[in-house]
């Protein structure tokens, strides 16, 4: 039986554990960049961009 796993999920899981263990190294930077790269190619990219834009627009109103 084959098990498939999205690279976004894999990079996200690895990044979560690296950040949780405070292991900030070149490996963590590579994982974070890979996670961002693969996340940008999913359907989650547009909602993340909209959320980021909304947060940036809300900062002057604080």
């Amino acid at each position: 039986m084959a098990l498939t796993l999205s690279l976004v999920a894999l990079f996200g899981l690895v990044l979560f554990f690296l950040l949780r263990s405070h292991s900030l190294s070149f490996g963590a930077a590579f994982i974070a960049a890979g996670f961002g790269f693969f996340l940008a190619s999913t359907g989650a990219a547009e909602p993340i961009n909209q959320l980021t834009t909304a947060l940036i627009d809300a900062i002057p109103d604080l």
Side-chain angles (χ1 to χ4, degrees), residues 7-12 15 27-41:
L7 283 177
V8 173
L10 179 64
F11 277 127
L15 181 60
F30 175 75
I31 295 297
F35 178 68
F37 176 77
F38 286 110
L39 184 63
S41 66

Side-chain angles (χ1 to χ4, degrees), residues 11-61:
F11 277 127
L13 186 63
V14 171
L15 181 60
F16 171 77
F17 285 115
L18 286 173
L19 291 174
R20 185 156 165 85
S21 68
H22 303 289
S23 174
L24 300 175
S25 63
F26 291 112
F30 175 75
I31 295 297
F35 178 68
F37 176 77
F38 286 110
L39 184 63
S41 66
T42 66
E46 185 61 29
I48 291 171
N49 287 335
Q50 291 173 352
L51 177 65
T52 305
T53 303
L55 289 174
I56 290 172
D57 290 341
I59 289 174
D61 296 332

